[in-house]
């Protein structure tokens, strides 16, 4: 489904990704974990064609990403950042617009949008433009837009960030059902508990390089949780006290 | 900036003998009233970067004070403040005592300006958007006519032509008749500013307790088959939903005011002036969006990178959307010229061709240069801190074609209508050629520099995105 060889990405002197190799089989739910600035978002952007790699090759759905970007964008879903929505449109308008650009019929988009709105407990027909939505609402619109066309491969960058616990749980069950239906998912997240419940494979990166990769069975030792593993790989817990407290 | 400061100071000094306290008071009050009302109408939400301070400002009066102080320090006010300071110092050069008297009045005027913005802004939010913009237009006319009359500019021969264009002139002399003393000016200014401050404080308190307004009916989605058509509609709606997009459409009305003098409307020099006015307003109307294709929806443009849309479709859609918006302006101008102004109907067709040629030339020149941070004609680009060599080089690209087309018009109008039609037809053809060439360039630029564009739109400074100057002129 995804094959990366020797992927590197630099911004001037700053190295964001270095010599990354990765293979993701169809039907996998890959969790990409790492600290802030580890290169997770850069990896997602490179995999979705938003960034050109400095070196290396990326094959997605059996096609060369650089050579066939349009076909791939039709078949994959990418959850845009909440700040990268067309904010002068309403939620319903945004879904209609992006859905039609993906080739879906108008009536079908309406039906799917209504279903998604009900499930995510979001009134997508509200009259305000997206600019007036809360961060969580924007997240839901971005997610709805990414799955509206039923993609074979779905990329999600921090999908749970800013969602209330009920919405986060709804999203979790939705992602689980997408996975059960055969969709391949790649997700970055700082919520390790949520990632542990959902993902079938993990990639842990730090400073642009791969630190560990595998299934939970391969990576976790004994009763170790994903959080324990992550902290162990990142150099242990940091504790300390503030001088004025 | 230093030059304009010095020049204004010298001009004020040389004209100081003609100034009396009444005139100084009228100028300051007029500026504060006019700019405050216009500022409020323009920015109905009164958006200051005060949100981070809100938790530390418990009551409406603390918030009002903070808003007043912050309001006085915005770029435009700092710019106007600097110029009025130059003016005051210039006056002080001839009459040393005046500076000390005028400076507190200027401060009070500034505070009144900020309060009025807040008050009129709140009022503007409560009324229909279109009504608000009509009020803005009328307010602009009132302010201009008042300033012209009160400052005695109607005695300046070179400005006399403009006065018939200001319809409210005859009614504008109602403010502060008769002589005024410095004491009276101080009492009026302090009382007025205090009153405005109290009203603003009450309004801020009310703002803090009320809920958010919700539009009554949701706008409808639109259907389309081809991506460029959908993107064109999106661009069109985006332009109309923006404040600047609506207000620009009132520019033809200002042009109409200028055309009230029959002397300006013969086929020769008069029509050149008319077409220059028309083109000048169109520069702002379509020139700015065309040179700012990406910056207009800085955030949203990045969602296109994830959608299956070809760069060509995306660019074409944006250009068609802007053309449709500009066509409204052309249509409105055509109707105004044909039915309302005493213009020979034969001029309407060449004038329309002129607007199309200008659009095409701007689209051809603007699209490849569109990856930039600020529109070359936006007010912000002219603020002292924003002036940047890379932006300045784009200004000739906007104004140059206008000058060229006006000169062509001027030349052709001296040879009669057939020449005028032929020259404008030729200009459209050249413009079309430029657009075809520019479109290809823009597409190639977008494909080659999408990544850099993404970084720029995310707010990375151009110096870090293009450390060696880059191919885009940064």
């Amino acid at each position: 489904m995804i094959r990366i060889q020797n992927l590197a990405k630099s911004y001037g002197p700053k190295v964001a990704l270095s010599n990354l190799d990765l293979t993701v089989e169809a039907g996998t739910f890959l969790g990409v974990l790492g600290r802030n600035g580890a290169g997770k978002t850069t990896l997602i952007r490179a995999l979705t064609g938003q960034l050109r790699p400095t070196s290396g090759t990326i094959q997605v759905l059996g096609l060369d990403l650089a050579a066939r970007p349009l076909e791939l964008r039709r078949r994959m879903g990418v959850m845009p950042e909440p700040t990268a929505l067309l904010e002068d449109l309403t939620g319903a308008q945004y879904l209609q617009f992006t859905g039609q650009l993906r080739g879906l019929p108008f009536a079908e988009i309406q039906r799917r949008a209504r279903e998604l709105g009900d499930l995510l407990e979001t009134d997508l027909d509200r009259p305000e433009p997206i600019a007036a939505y809360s961060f969580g609402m924007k997240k839901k619109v971005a997610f709805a837009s990414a799955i509206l066309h039923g993609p074979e491969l779905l990329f999600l960058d921090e999908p749970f960030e800013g969602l209330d616990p009920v919405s986060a749980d709804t999203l979790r069950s939705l992602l689980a059902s997408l996975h059960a239906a055969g969709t391949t998912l790649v997700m970055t997240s700082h919520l390790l508990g949520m990632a542990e419940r959902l993902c079938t494979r993990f990639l842990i990166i730090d400073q642009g390089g791969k630190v560990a990769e595998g299934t939970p069975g391969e990576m976790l030792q004994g009763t170790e949780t994903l959080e324990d593993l992550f902290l162990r790989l990142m150099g242990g817990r940091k504790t300390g006290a503030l001088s004025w407290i | 900036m230093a030059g304009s400061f010095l020049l204004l100071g010298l001009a004020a000094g040389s004209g100081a003998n003609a100034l009396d306290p009444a005139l100084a008071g009228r100028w300051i009050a007029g500026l504060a009233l006019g700019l405050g009302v216009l500022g409020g109408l323009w920015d109905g939400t009164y958006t200051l970067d005060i949100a981070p301070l809100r938790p530390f400002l418990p009551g409406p009066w603390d918030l009002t004070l903070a808003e007043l102080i912050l309001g006085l320090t915005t770029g435009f006010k700092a710019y106007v403040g600097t110029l009025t300071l130059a003016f005051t110092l210039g006056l002080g050069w001839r009459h040393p005592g005046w500076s000390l008297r005028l400076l507190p009045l200027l401060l009070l005027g500034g505070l009144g300006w900020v309060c009025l913005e807040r008050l009129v802004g709140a009022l503007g939010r409560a009324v229909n958007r279109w009504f608000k913009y009509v009020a803005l237009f009328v307010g602009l006319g009132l302010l201009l006519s008042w300033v012209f009359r009160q400052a005695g500019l109607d005695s300046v021969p070179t400005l006399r032509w403009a006065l018939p264009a200001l319809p409210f002139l005859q009614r504008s002399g109602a403010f502060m008749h008769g002589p005024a003393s410095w004491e009276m000016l101080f009492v009026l200014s302090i009382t007025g500013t205090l009153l405005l401050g109290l009203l603003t404080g009450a309004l801020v308190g009310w703002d803090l307790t009320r809920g958010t307004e919700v539009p009554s009916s949701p706008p409808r989605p639109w259907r389309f088959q081809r991506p460029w058509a959908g993107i064109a509609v999106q661009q069109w709606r985006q332009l109309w939903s923006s404040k600047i997009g609506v207000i620009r459409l009132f520019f033809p009305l200002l042009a109409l005011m200028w055309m009230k003098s029959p002397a300006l409307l013969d086929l020769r020099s008069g029509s050149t002036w008319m077409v220059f006015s028309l083109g000048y307003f169109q520069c702002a109307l379509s020139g700015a969006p065309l040179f700012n294709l990406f910056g207009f929806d800085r955030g949203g443009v990045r969602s296109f990178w994830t959608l299956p849309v070809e760069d060509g479709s995306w660019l074409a859609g944006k250009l068609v959307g802007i053309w449709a918006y500009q066509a409204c302006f052309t249509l409105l101008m055509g109707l105004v010229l044909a039915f309302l102004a005493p213009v020979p109907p034969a001029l309407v067709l060449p004038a329309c061709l002129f607007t199309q040629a200008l659009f095409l030339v701007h689209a051809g020149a603007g699209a490849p240069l569109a990856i930039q941070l600020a529109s070359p004609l936006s007010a912000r680009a002219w603020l002292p801190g924003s002036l940047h060599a890379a932006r300045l080089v784009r200004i000739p690209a906007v104004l140059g074609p206008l000058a060229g087309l006006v000169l062509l018009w001027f030349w052709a109008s001296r040879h009669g209508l057939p020449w005028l039609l032929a020259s404008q037809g030729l200009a459209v053809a050249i413009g079309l050629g430029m657009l075809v060439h520019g479109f290809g360039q823009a597409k190639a630029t977008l494909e080659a520099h999408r990544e850099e564009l993404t970084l720029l739109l995310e707010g990375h400074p151009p110096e870090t995105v293009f450390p060696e100057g880059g191919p885009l002129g940064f």
Side-chain angles (χ1 to χ4, degrees):
Chain A
M1 184 62 79
I2 300 174
R3 194 174 302 277
I4 297 174
Q5 283 183 317
N6 252 336
L7 179 67
K9 176 69 199 171
S10 304
Y11 299 105
K14 191 188 164 200
V15 178
L17 291 173
S18 63
N19 301 325
L20 198 68
D21 292 311
L22 179 72
T23 302
V24 180
E25 299 299 337
T28 304
F29 195 143
L30 178 74
V32 181
L33 313 175
R35 300 174 68 171
N36 292 330
K40 303 185 294 297
T41 301
T42 303
L43 176 62
I44 294 277
R45 284 187 179 177
L47 288 174
T48 53
Q50 297 176 70
L51 287 180
R52 271 190 317 273
T54 309
S55 63
T57 56
I58 303 173
Q59 276 203 331
V60 180
L61 295 163
L63 302 170
D64 182 357
L65 182 63
R68 311 277 288 275
L70 278 188
E71 189 180 337
L72 285 172
R73 277 188 234 158
R74 247 175 235 121
R75 292 169 65 187
M76 63 166 79
V78 184
M79 183 172 163
E81 295 164 55
T83 53
L85 300 171
L86 295 162
E87 296 211 328
D88 56 307
L89 305 183
T90 64
Q93 282 181 317
Y94 184 76
L95 292 189
Q96 273 293 352
F97 182 56
T98 55
Q100 289 183 87
L101 286 177
R102 290 184 186 283
L104 288 175
F106 193 85
E108 180 62 15
I109 299 170
Q110 255 178 336
R111 191 183 68 76
R112 293 186 188 187
R114 208 171 302 125
E115 229 176 291
L116 271 165
D118 289 344
L119 200 64
L120 294 168
E121 293 180 313
T122 303
D123 179 12
L124 292 166
D125 288 321
R126 54 196 283 186
E128 303 105 308
I130 292 173
Y133 286 13
S134 67
F135 188 76
M137 273 287 292
K138 287 181 185 175
K139 266 300 223 237
K140 289 179 188 176
V141 172
F143 175 72
S145 151
I147 65 163
L148 196 70
H149 58 299
E152 296 167 57
L153 174 62
L154 181 61
F155 291 95
L156 307 147
D157 193 4
E158 298 287 352
F160 297 104
E161 184 194 13
L163 291 185
D164 64 79
V166 176
S167 303
D169 189 60
T170 310
L171 181 61
R172 184 198 56 74
S173 72
L174 201 51
L175 291 178
S177 61
L178 279 170
H179 181 227
T183 309
T184 306
L185 295 104
V186 179
M187 173 183 86
T188 72
S189 184
H190 288 300
L191 300 180
L192 299 180
M194 197 65 94
E196 194 168 7
R197 288 172 74 185
L198 283 168
C199 300
T200 55
R201 195 171 184 85
F202 296 106
L203 168 71
I204 301 178
I205 56 177
D206 193 36
Q207 296 178 348
K210 189 196 293 187
V211 176
E213 188 206 343
T215 62
E218 291 165 354
M219 295 169 81
L220 302 176
Q221 298 169 358
T223 58
E224 194 178 41
T225 63
L226 184 62
E227 188 179 345
D228 295 330
L229 168 74
F230 186 79
L231 290 170
R232 176 163 61 81
L233 292 172
M234 293 296 130
R237 292 175 194 276
K238 288 261 190 303
T239 53
L242 295 167
S243 62
W244 68 91
I245 293 174
Chain B
M1 181 65 195
S4 58
F5 190 90
L6 191 67
L7 277 177
L8 194 64
L10 286 172
S14 64
N17 286 339
L19 201 67
D20 61 19
L23 197 55
R26 284 171 192 171
W27 263 93
I28 293 165
L31 270 176
L33 275 171
L35 291 171
V37 170
L38 292 179
L41 286 169
W42 177 264
D43 186 5
T45 50
Y46 194 75
T47 44
L48 284 176
D49 192 17
I50 203 164
L53 296 175
R54 276 188 178 253
F56 307 104
L57 302 166
W61 296 108
D62 293 320
L63 204 56
T64 306
L65 195 64
E67 283 196 356
L68 292 185
I69 293 167
L70 273 180
L72 279 173
T73 57
T74 58
F76 181 62
K77 291 192 190 73
Y79 189 58
V80 173
T82 311
L83 293 184
T84 46
L85 185 66
F87 192 79
T88 310
L89 292 177
L91 288 178
W93 164 52
R94 295 294 289 267
H95 301 286
W98 280 38
S99 292
L100 286 175
R101 286 171 174 164
L102 279 174
L103 284 174
L105 281 178
L106 288 176
L107 182 66
L108 288 171
L111 287 172
W113 174 2
V114 178
C115 289
L116 266 169
E117 267 187 353
R118 191 73 159 86
L119 289 166
V120 177
L123 202 68
R125 283 200 301 274
V127 297
N128 177 280
R129 192 165 76 119
W130 284 90
F131 177 79
K132 195 174 87 168
Y133 294 133
V134 171
L136 172 71
F137 170 69
V138 173
L140 192 66
L142 268 173
L143 177 70
L144 286 176
S145 58
W146 189 82
V147 168
F148 266 68
R149 192 176 174 79
Q150 297 300 324
L153 293 179
D154 47 348
S155 62
V156 181
T158 50
L159 292 175
R160 204 171 287 152
W161 61 267
L163 294 183
L166 302 170
F168 314 103
L169 191 64
Q170 301 311 315
R171 279 170 274 150
S172 64
F175 306 98
M176 290 182 66
H177 272 300
S181 65
W182 286 110
E183 290 73 20
M184 190 202 284
L185 275 178
F186 277 115
V187 169
L188 282 174
S189 305
I190 292 169
T191 315
T193 312
L194 267 177
L195 194 67
L196 285 172
L198 285 170
L199 279 171
T200 308
L203 181 78
V204 170
W206 176 68
D207 260 1
L208 286 175
T209 52
R210 79 200 174 93
T212 320
E213 291 162 46
V214 176
S216 50
S217 58
R220 302 171 77 82
W222 62 98
R223 291 169 195 254
F224 57 91
Q225 294 296 322
R226 298 184 183 281
W228 68 263
I231 291 164
V233 176
Q234 188 259 335
Q235 178 71 53
W236 153 272
R237 296 178 76 122
Q238 191 180 48
L239 284 166
W240 282 110
S241 68
S242 69
K243 214 164 14 188
I244 188 79
V246 174
I247 285 174
R248 279 189 185 126
L249 220 69
F250 284 93
F251 288 173
L253 298 175
L254 288 174
L256 177 64
M257 284 178 153
W258 287 3
M259 284 178 222
K260 280 178 74 177
S261 170
L264 297 176
L265 294 171
D266 61 62
L267 194 62
R268 294 181 174 191
S269 58
S271 72
T272 302
W273 169 250
M274 176 202 76
V275 86
F276 173 77
S277 309
L278 195 154
Y280 181 77
F281 289 122
Q282 194 194 316
C283 267
L285 192 77
S286 60
L290 285 170
F291 277 73
N292 204 22
L293 284 176
F294 308 106
F296 224 78
D297 48 0
R298 296 174 72 84
V301 88
R302 281 180 288 148
S303 27
F304 283 104
W305 296 175
T306 64
L307 293 167
V309 182
E310 283 181 49
D311 292 335
S313 297
W314 187 67
L315 278 167
K318 280 191 162 285
L319 290 178
V320 171
I322 296 171
W323 175 82
Y325 165 76
Q326 187 249 196
C328 286
F329 167 84
T330 309
L331 188 68
L332 188 63
M333 276 312 277
L335 290 173
V336 162
L337 292 175
F339 296 111
L340 300 176
V343 169
L347 275 184
V348 173
L349 181 59
C352 286
L353 285 174
F354 169 87
T355 61
Q356 296 313 301
L358 190 58
F359 173 85
L360 290 167
V361 172
H362 274 167
L369 290 173
I371 302 176
Q372 59 179 1
L373 297 180
S375 152
L377 288 181
S378 80
R380 281 186 67 176
W382 290 97
L383 287 176
S386 305
L387 288 179
H388 186 283
R391 286 176 193 161
L392 283 175
V393 296
R394 287 177 172 84
I395 291 169
V398 180
L399 296 181
L402 171 65
L405 282 171
V406 169
L407 283 175
L408 183 66
W409 178 287
F410 186 66
W411 173 82
S413 66
R414 292 188 169 273
H415 294 82
L417 194 62
W419 281 91
L420 205 54
L421 272 170
S423 66
Q424 296 310 305
L426 179 69
V428 169
I430 292 171
L432 209 56
M434 280 183 71
L435 177 60
V436 171
H437 177 68
F439 190 84
Q441 267 191 315
K443 216 174 127 197
T445 306
L446 185 59
E447 278 162 8
H449 299 290
R450 176 178 301 203
E451 188 173 320
E452 288 85 348
L453 178 59
T454 302
L455 293 173
L456 288 171
L457 292 171
E458 283 178 350
H460 293 265
E463 300 77 32
T464 59
V465 178
F466 300 111
E468 288 156 18
L472 303 173
F474 284 102

